[in-house]
Amino acid sequence: VVFVSICTHFWDCGLVALDDITVSLGDCRISADGFPCPPGECNFEVDNCGYMQDEKDNSNWIRKRGQTPTSFTGPKGDHTTGVGYYMYIEASPMISGHNARLLSNALRGFLHQQCLVFYYNMYGSGTGLLSIYLKKEGQREEVLLWRRRGEQSISWLKGLVEYECDRNHQIVFEGVRGSSVRSDIAIDDILFKKGPCKGNHF
Protein backbone atom coordinates (compact mmCIF):
# COMPACT_ATOMS: atom_id res chain seq x y z
CA VAL A 1 0.00 0.00 0.00
CA VAL A 2 1.51 3.31 -1.10
CA PHE A 3 0.32 6.76 -0.01
CA VAL A 4 1.30 9.48 -2.51
CA SER A 5 1.22 13.25 -2.05
CA ILE A 6 1.50 15.18 -5.31
CA CYS A 7 2.85 18.72 -5.29
CA THR A 8 1.24 21.37 -7.47
CA HIS A 9 4.76 22.58 -8.33
CA PHE A 10 8.28 22.30 -6.93
CA TRP A 11 8.00 25.20 -4.45
CA ASP A 12 4.47 24.44 -3.19
CA CYS A 13 3.79 20.99 -1.72
CA GLY A 14 1.31 22.12 0.91
CA LEU A 15 0.83 20.18 4.16
CA VAL A 16 -0.16 16.51 4.18
CA ALA A 17 -0.51 14.24 7.24
CA LEU A 18 -1.44 10.62 7.94
CA ASP A 19 -2.29 8.99 11.25
CA ASP A 20 -3.78 5.84 12.80
CA ILE A 21 -3.45 3.50 9.81
CA THR A 22 -4.82 0.00 10.37
CA VAL A 23 -4.81 -2.99 8.04
CA SER A 24 -7.10 -5.84 9.10
CA LEU A 25 -8.77 -8.90 7.61
CA GLY A 26 -12.44 -8.74 6.73
CA ASP A 27 -14.91 -6.60 4.85
CA CYS A 28 -14.44 -2.80 4.83
CA ARG A 29 -18.21 -2.31 4.72
CA ILE A 30 -18.44 -3.59 8.29
CA SER A 31 -17.22 -0.87 10.64
CA ALA A 32 -16.33 -1.29 14.27
CA ASP A 33 -19.96 -0.65 15.18
CA GLY A 34 -21.38 -2.48 12.16
CA PHE A 35 -24.54 -1.71 10.21
CA PRO A 36 -28.03 -3.11 10.82
CA CYS A 37 -29.01 -5.87 8.39
CA PRO A 38 -31.85 -5.31 5.90
CA PRO A 39 -35.19 -6.99 6.74
CA GLY A 40 -35.04 -10.72 6.16
CA GLU A 41 -31.27 -10.88 6.57
CA CYS A 42 -29.08 -11.51 9.59
CA ASN A 43 -25.31 -11.90 9.92
CA PHE A 44 -25.25 -11.22 13.70
CA GLU A 45 -22.59 -8.51 13.30
CA VAL A 46 -24.54 -5.88 15.24
CA ASP A 47 -26.93 -7.92 17.39
CA ASN A 48 -29.26 -10.94 17.35
CA CYS A 49 -31.50 -9.35 14.66
CA GLY A 50 -34.56 -9.97 16.80
CA TYR A 51 -33.92 -13.70 17.20
CA MET A 52 -34.86 -14.76 20.71
CA GLN A 53 -34.16 -17.66 23.05
CA ASP A 54 -36.88 -20.19 23.80
CA GLU A 55 -37.41 -20.12 27.57
CA LYS A 56 -38.63 -23.73 27.58
CA ASP A 57 -35.38 -25.31 26.39
CA ASN A 58 -32.29 -26.44 28.35
CA SER A 59 -29.68 -23.94 27.18
CA ASN A 60 -29.12 -20.86 25.00
CA TRP A 61 -27.57 -19.87 21.70
CA ILE A 62 -24.57 -17.59 22.24
CA ARG A 63 -23.42 -14.71 20.00
CA LYS A 64 -19.71 -15.28 19.51
CA ARG A 65 -16.67 -13.90 17.72
CA GLY A 66 -13.58 -15.99 16.96
CA GLN A 67 -13.07 -19.62 17.87
CA THR A 68 -15.22 -21.50 20.37
CA PRO A 69 -13.52 -22.35 23.71
CA THR A 70 -13.43 -26.14 23.28
CA SER A 71 -10.72 -27.62 21.03
CA PHE A 72 -11.58 -29.65 17.92
CA THR A 73 -15.13 -28.38 17.66
CA GLY A 74 -16.94 -25.29 16.41
CA PRO A 75 -15.83 -22.85 13.71
CA LYS A 76 -12.58 -20.84 13.67
CA GLY A 77 -14.53 -17.68 12.86
CA ASP A 78 -17.79 -16.49 11.36
CA HIS A 79 -18.91 -17.21 7.80
CA THR A 80 -19.45 -13.58 6.75
CA THR A 81 -15.90 -12.23 7.03
CA GLY A 82 -13.98 -14.70 9.21
CA VAL A 83 -13.58 -12.06 11.90
CA GLY A 84 -17.22 -11.25 12.71
CA TYR A 85 -19.98 -12.75 14.84
CA TYR A 86 -22.13 -15.87 14.64
CA MET A 87 -24.49 -17.82 16.92
CA TYR A 88 -23.59 -21.17 18.46
CA ILE A 89 -24.38 -23.63 21.23
CA GLU A 90 -21.59 -24.33 23.72
CA ALA A 91 -21.71 -28.05 24.48
CA SER A 92 -19.45 -27.99 27.58
CA PRO A 93 -22.08 -27.01 30.20
CA MET A 94 -24.84 -29.01 28.51
CA ILE A 95 -25.83 -32.63 29.09
CA SER A 96 -26.10 -35.04 26.16
CA GLY A 97 -29.56 -34.61 24.60
CA HIS A 98 -30.12 -31.10 25.99
CA ASN A 99 -31.34 -28.57 23.45
CA ALA A 100 -31.18 -24.85 22.71
CA ARG A 101 -33.82 -23.18 20.53
CA LEU A 102 -33.50 -19.86 18.71
CA LEU A 103 -36.75 -18.31 17.43
CA SER A 104 -37.12 -15.73 14.69
CA ASN A 105 -39.40 -12.70 14.93
CA ALA A 106 -43.01 -13.28 13.92
CA LEU A 107 -43.04 -13.56 10.11
CA ARG A 108 -46.03 -12.79 7.88
CA GLY A 109 -47.75 -15.52 5.93
CA PHE A 110 -47.36 -15.63 2.14
CA LEU A 111 -49.02 -17.30 -0.84
CA HIS A 112 -45.89 -18.47 -2.63
CA GLN A 113 -42.78 -20.53 -2.02
CA GLN A 114 -40.09 -18.97 0.10
CA CYS A 115 -36.43 -19.89 0.41
CA LEU A 116 -34.55 -19.86 3.69
CA VAL A 117 -30.79 -19.64 3.14
CA PHE A 118 -28.32 -20.02 6.01
CA TYR A 119 -24.86 -21.32 6.83
CA TYR A 120 -24.06 -23.87 9.51
CA ASN A 121 -21.01 -25.42 11.10
CA MET A 122 -21.17 -28.89 12.65
CA TYR A 123 -17.60 -29.88 13.42
CA GLY A 124 -16.60 -32.19 16.27
CA SER A 125 -16.50 -35.92 16.98
CA GLY A 126 -19.49 -35.72 19.33
CA THR A 127 -21.68 -33.40 17.28
CA GLY A 128 -25.40 -33.82 17.90
CA LEU A 129 -28.34 -32.50 15.93
CA LEU A 130 -29.32 -29.30 14.13
CA SER A 131 -32.98 -28.96 13.13
CA ILE A 132 -35.15 -26.21 11.65
CA TYR A 133 -38.85 -26.10 12.49
CA LEU A 134 -41.80 -24.10 11.20
CA LYS A 135 -43.88 -22.80 14.10
CA LYS A 136 -47.30 -21.64 12.85
CA GLU A 137 -49.36 -19.13 14.82
CA GLY A 138 -52.17 -20.86 16.69
CA GLN A 139 -50.75 -24.35 16.27
CA ARG A 140 -48.92 -26.23 19.01
CA GLU A 141 -47.27 -28.82 16.78
CA GLU A 142 -44.24 -27.64 14.80
CA VAL A 143 -43.29 -28.82 11.30
CA LEU A 144 -39.78 -30.18 10.74
CA LEU A 145 -38.28 -28.47 7.67
CA TRP A 146 -34.63 -29.55 7.75
CA ARG A 147 -32.24 -31.65 9.85
CA ARG A 148 -28.58 -32.69 10.05
CA ARG A 149 -27.12 -35.19 12.48
CA GLY A 150 -23.50 -35.73 13.52
CA GLU A 151 -20.26 -34.17 12.30
CA GLN A 152 -20.58 -32.62 8.82
CA SER A 153 -17.45 -30.59 8.04
CA ILE A 154 -14.79 -28.36 9.57
CA SER A 155 -15.97 -25.66 7.13
CA TRP A 156 -19.17 -23.65 6.97
CA LEU A 157 -21.84 -25.33 4.84
CA LYS A 158 -24.77 -23.75 3.03
CA GLY A 159 -28.31 -24.77 3.93
CA LEU A 160 -31.33 -24.21 1.68
CA VAL A 161 -34.91 -24.78 2.83
CA GLU A 162 -38.03 -24.25 0.72
CA TYR A 163 -41.33 -23.84 2.52
CA GLU A 164 -44.82 -22.39 2.26
CA CYS A 165 -46.96 -20.85 4.99
CA ASP A 166 -50.14 -18.79 4.60
CA ARG A 167 -50.29 -17.60 8.20
CA ASN A 168 -48.05 -15.76 10.64
CA HIS A 169 -45.21 -17.99 11.78
CA GLN A 170 -41.73 -18.29 13.24
CA ILE A 171 -38.65 -20.23 12.17
CA VAL A 172 -36.94 -22.19 14.94
CA PHE A 173 -33.28 -23.23 14.92
CA GLU A 174 -32.76 -26.06 17.40
CA GLY A 175 -29.35 -27.40 18.38
CA VAL A 176 -29.09 -30.61 20.41
CA ARG A 177 -25.93 -31.49 22.32
CA GLY A 178 -24.28 -34.71 21.21
CA SER A 179 -22.31 -37.38 23.06
CA SER A 180 -19.33 -35.24 24.10
CA VAL A 181 -18.18 -31.66 24.71
CA ARG A 182 -16.90 -31.68 21.11
CA SER A 183 -20.37 -30.97 19.77
CA ASP A 184 -20.58 -27.19 19.32
CA ILE A 185 -23.02 -26.18 16.54
CA ALA A 186 -23.01 -22.77 14.84
CA ILE A 187 -25.21 -20.82 12.39
CA ASP A 188 -24.64 -17.59 10.47
CA ASP A 189 -25.85 -15.42 7.57
CA ILE A 190 -29.57 -16.19 7.60
CA LEU A 191 -31.59 -14.92 4.63
CA PHE A 192 -35.27 -15.16 3.69
CA LYS A 193 -36.06 -14.58 0.02
CA LYS A 194 -39.03 -15.09 -2.31
CA GLY A 195 -39.30 -17.95 -4.75
CA PRO A 196 -37.93 -21.49 -4.86
CA CYS A 197 -34.37 -22.19 -3.75
CA LYS A 198 -31.76 -22.63 -6.46
CA GLY A 199 -29.45 -25.59 -5.94
CA ASN A 200 -29.62 -28.64 -3.69
CA HIS A 201 -32.17 -28.36 -0.90
CA PHE A 202 -34.67 -30.33 1.18
Side-chain angles (χ1 to χ4, degrees):
V1 176
V2 181
F3 297 92
V4 179
S5 173
I6 300 175
C7 302
T8 55
H9 53 76
F10 182 77
W11 300 106
D12 182 13
C13 275
L15 298 174
V16 179
L18 290 174
D19 196 8
D20 296 339
I21 299 170
T22 302
V23 178
S24 59
L25 295 174
D27 191 332
C28 286
R29 292 172 298 178
I30 299 175
S31 67
D33 297 325
F35 294 98
C37 288
E41 295 184 34
C42 185
N43 56 23
F44 301 109
E45 295 302 323
V46 177
D47 53 27
N48 292 352
C49 309
Y51 283 82
M52 62 201 88
Q53 310 287 345
D54 190 338
E55 297 178 357
K56 298 177 182 178
D57 56 15
N58 307 113
S59 190
N60 287 326
W61 287 83
I62 302 167
R63 184 168 168 264
K64 172 73 176 170
R65 190 178 198 174
Q67 191 172 355
T68 61
T70 311
S71 302
F72 304 108
T73 186
K76 301 288 185 183
D78 77 323
H79 171 263
T80 317
T81 64
V83 294
Y85 290 88
Y86 57 92
M87 296 293 286
Y88 89 109
I89 62 167
E90 174 57 50
S92 301
M94 299 172 71
I95 298 172
S96 181
H98 274 190
N99 68 334
R101 288 162 49 91
L102 192 68
L103 282 66
S104 72
N105 276 327
L107 305 171
R108 290 183 180 180
F110 48 89
L111 300 174
H112 50 75
Q113 286 183 321
Q114 182 156 282
C115 183
L116 166 62
V117 185
F118 64 100
Y119 287 84
Y120 65 98
N121 182 285
M122 297 177 71
Y123 166 61
S125 58
T127 304
L129 199 67
L130 176 62
S131 304
I132 297 178
Y133 293 96
L134 173 63
K135 182 181 177 67
K136 296 181 180 181
E137 186 178 71
Q139 289 189 7
R140 179 176 297 180
E141 188 174 347
E142 298 174 353
V143 179
L144 176 65
L145 297 177
W146 183 96
R147 175 171 284 170
R148 289 291 182 275
R149 185 188 303 272
E151 184 177 42
Q152 300 294 312
S153 172
I154 194 171
S155 304
W156 286 95
L157 300 175
K158 187 177 185 177
L160 297 169
V161 180
E162 241 174 44
Y163 75 99
E164 297 178 9
C165 188
D166 59 359
R167 65 174 67 185
N168 290 352
H169 62 282
Q170 290 175 288
I171 293 295
V172 183
F173 290 85
E174 181 185 62
V176 178
R177 199 255 206 197
S179 59
S180 77
V181 294
R182 294 192 177 98
S183 59
D184 294 347
I185 296 174
I187 57 174
D188 198 10
D189 293 337
I190 302 169
L191 169 65
F192 292 90
K193 60 181 183 179
K194 293 181 180 179
C197 297
K198 295 180 180 180
N200 298 325
H201 61 277
F202 297 88

